[in-house]
């Protein structure tokens, strides 16, 4: 089990570095003479048509609706595994990261609304700073090597997974519009078919993939965001077969490198290209930018720490062995690294808003995440011993 966790964390850290490269490349292209080529590439129309079924979207939306559905499939597989067998499989294990995640979603949203309470058009972005980026956060933590206790990495991983689950619920409830009843019926039939496959003990991934594609198309056409199909598919795939093998674990293992080294970097490259042409120092004072920055830099750590502290004091949860508050505090700051999911939610929140809203959101996300990464890294480096070993609790 420990070896599997170490392999997973190692892969995510590599992904964090690759994400940084993708963001830097996108920013470089968006602010160079090649910007028209970059934007034109993302606007390229891609059409899939079979009979009456017609899906015609620019490349950017194929990335956000299609590739990211596979990312959410991976998240769903991780959540299911952790709920049934891993770090969230018991009340004792799940209590602290659960309370921390709830606080870490609630307070950033409140911070955002403080700066946007008077504008209904921008209030819709309240969920943008509520997410934590697993790959980036673990990537920054991994730079400290074996100085970081495994229990602290597991705490951050569990917190981020619960955070992702909360974001999935938020997307389903608040960012689904113009619902199509016919498509929802087809989606419901698809789900019933996959549940039946599960109940029949079917362990081959192929039938789930075929029905899952039908579900993805139906959800895409329904008005509910298509990425949620990935989570539903994940929860329908059996965790354990009768012979003890893990169909969902096998798929998770196969998807990890694709997600880490292709899907997330491509998403970052497609969505992080913020043109600074029309930006100025005043842009940092825009309510959207300021709300997201403060939500990530202050709201996240305040929420994570406050809810964690209250839960421990009320004996609803306890700190992991060998971990003290001096360790939890910088990790709470790292939770403010919200790049991937924050950018994704901003694309949903401001999809039909003026382009400037999306630019201000990306400015706030990039700036807030950068500060959270730097502060969290140097703070954690200061409180950890100079080499791996025992860690006292304070």
């Amino acid at each position: 089990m420990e070896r599997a966790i170490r392999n997973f964390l190692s892969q995510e850290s590599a992904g964090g570095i690759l994400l940084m490269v993708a963001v830097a490349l996108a920013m470089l292209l968006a602010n160079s003479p090649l910007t028209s080529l970059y934007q034109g590439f993302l606007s390229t129309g891609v059409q899939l048509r079979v009979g009456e079924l017609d899906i015609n979207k620019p490349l950017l939306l194929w990335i956000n609706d299609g590739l990211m559905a596979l990312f959410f499939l991976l998240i769903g597989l991780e959540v299911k595994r952790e709920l049934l067998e891993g770090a969230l499989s018991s009340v004792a294990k799940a209590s602290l990261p659960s309370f921390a995640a709830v606080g870490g979603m609630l307070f950033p949203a409140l911070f955002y609304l403080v700066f946007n309470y008077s504008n209904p058009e921008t209030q819709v972005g309240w969920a943008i700073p509520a997410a934590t980026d697993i790959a980036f956060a673990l990537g920054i933590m991994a730079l400290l090597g074996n100085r970081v206790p495994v229990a602290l990495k597991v705490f951050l991983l569990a917190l981020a997974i619960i955070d992702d689950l909360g974001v999935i619920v938020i997307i389903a409830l608040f960012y689904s519009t113009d619902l199509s009843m016919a498509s929802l019926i087809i989606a419901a039939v698809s789900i019933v078919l996959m549940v039946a496959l599960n109940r029949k003990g079917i362990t081959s991934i192929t039938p789930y993939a075929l029905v899952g594609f039908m579900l993805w198309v139906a959800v895409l056409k329904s008005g509910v965001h298509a990425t949620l199909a990935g989570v539903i598919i994940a929860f329908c795939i059996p965790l354990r077969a009768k012979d003890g093998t893990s169909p969902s674990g096998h798929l998770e293992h196969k998807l990890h490198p694709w997600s880490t080294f292709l899907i997330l970097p491509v998403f970052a490259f497609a969505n992080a290209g913020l043109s600074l042409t029309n930006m100025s120092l005043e842009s940092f004072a825009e309510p959207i930018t300021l709300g997201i920055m403060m939500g990530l830099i202050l709201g996240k750590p305040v929420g994570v720490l406050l809810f964690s502290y209250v839960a421990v004091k009320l004996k609803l949860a306890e700190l992991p062995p060998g971990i003290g508050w001096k360790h939890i505090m910088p990790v709470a700051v790292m939770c403010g690294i919200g790049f991937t999911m924050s950018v994704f939610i901003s694309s949903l929140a401001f999809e039909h808003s003026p382009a400037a809203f999306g630019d201000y959101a990306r400015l706030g996300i990039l700036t807030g995440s950068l500060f959270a990464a730097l502060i969290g890294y140097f703070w954690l480096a200061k409180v950890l011993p100079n080499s791996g070993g025992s860690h006292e609790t304070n």
Side-chain angles (χ1 to χ4, degrees):
M1 181 65 181
E2 182 177 342
R3 182 180 177 184
I5 291 176
R6 289 184 182 277
N7 289 338
F8 172 77
L9 294 176
S10 175
Q11 191 174 75
E12 290 296 327
S13 67
I17 296 173
L18 192 56
L19 274 176
M20 296 176 199
V21 174
V23 171
L25 182 58
M27 289 292 292
L28 179 64
L29 289 175
N31 294 279
S32 74
L34 297 176
T35 182
S36 59
L37 182 63
Y38 171 72
Q39 297 296 341
F41 173 70
L42 296 176
S43 301
T44 302
V46 179
Q47 184 177 24
L48 173 64
R49 184 168 185 174
V50 181
E52 295 300 315
L53 174 64
D54 186 12
I55 306 175
N56 190 357
K57 293 175 175 289
L59 183 59
L60 176 63
L61 291 185
W62 277 99
I63 293 170
N64 291 352
D65 294 343
L67 277 183
M68 288 301 283
L70 293 176
F71 172 67
F72 273 75
L73 169 61
L74 179 59
I75 287 179
L77 293 171
E78 291 173 349
V79 170
K80 182 175 181 177
R81 171 174 51 79
E82 295 297 336
L83 285 172
L84 296 180
E85 295 183 350
L88 307 176
S89 60
S90 68
V91 174
K93 292 180 179 179
S95 292
L96 185 62
S98 296
F99 281 106
V102 171
M105 287 186 284
L106 178 62
F107 273 75
L110 292 176
F111 270 65
Y112 179 88
L113 290 174
V114 165
F115 293 96
N116 292 272
Y117 71 94
S118 62
N119 189 343
E121 284 188 299
T122 62
Q123 285 177 5
V124 70
W126 61 270
I128 295 172
T132 295
D133 190 300
I134 297 178
F136 261 132
L138 288 173
I140 295 300
M141 181 179 282
L143 296 176
L144 294 170
N146 64 357
R147 295 173 59 193
V148 183
V150 172
L152 195 60
K153 296 177 183 178
V154 172
F155 169 74
L156 176 59
L157 177 61
L159 190 163
I161 286 176
I162 297 170
D163 190 294
D164 283 342
L165 185 59
V167 168
I168 290 167
V169 174
I170 288 171
I171 292 173
L173 295 179
F174 299 101
Y175 295 104
S176 299
T177 58
D178 301 325
L179 300 180
S180 166
M181 188 55 65
S183 296
L184 287 175
I185 291 174
I186 295 174
V189 171
S190 302
I191 294 171
V192 170
L193 286 174
M194 284 193 293
V195 171
L197 290 171
N198 183 297
R199 300 289 292 178
K200 287 289 186 180
I202 304 299
T203 57
S204 172
I205 298 299
T206 302
Y208 294 97
L210 293 174
V211 180
F213 178 74
M214 183 171 71
L215 173 64
W216 176 79
V217 173
V219 174
L220 179 69
K221 295 289 188 179
S222 71
V224 179
H225 201 270
T227 52
L228 298 178
V231 180
I232 297 171
I233 296 168
F235 275 74
C236 291
I237 296 174
L239 179 64
R240 291 291 171 192
K242 291 181 178 180
D243 61 1
T245 59
S246 176
S248 66
H250 177 72
L251 180 59
E252 182 183 339
H253 178 73
K254 292 292 186 182
L255 280 176
H256 257 302
W258 288 101
S259 175
T260 302
F261 300 114
L262 177 65
I263 295 173
L264 290 183
V266 168
F267 173 81
F269 176 76
N271 288 273
L274 172 63
S275 175
L276 301 177
T277 304
N278 298 317
M279 293 289 168
S280 64
L281 288 177
E282 286 75 17
S283 300
F284 288 96
E286 289 289 334
I288 293 175
T289 308
L290 205 53
I292 294 172
M293 286 173 54
M294 294 300 101
L296 292 173
I297 299 172
L298 295 178
K300 269 289 183 182
V302 168
V304 169
L305 282 172
L306 180 61
F307 272 55
S308 298
Y309 183 79
V310 170
V312 170
K313 286 301 178 181
L314 294 179
K315 300 188 183 305
L316 299 174
E318 58 184 36
L319 292 174
I323 302 301
W325 291 111
K326 71 175 184 179
H327 304 110
I328 298 294
M329 286 188 284
V331 170
V333 174
M334 283 186 181
C335 289
I337 305 172
F339 178 74
T340 303
M341 297 300 282
S342 294
V343 170
F344 184 72
I345 294 176
S346 72
S347 70
L348 301 179
F350 298 128
E351 183 178 6
H352 304 296
S353 302
F357 285 13
D359 290 341
Y360 292 142
R362 280 184 289 175
L363 181 63
I365 293 167
L366 292 171
T367 306
S369 297
L370 176 62
F371 272 94
L374 291 174
I375 296 171
Y377 171 79
F378 287 109
W379 190 348
L380 187 59
K382 184 176 181 180
V383 301
L384 291 176
N386 291 327
S387 60
S390 60
H391 306 269
E392 62 182 22
T393 301
N394 289 325

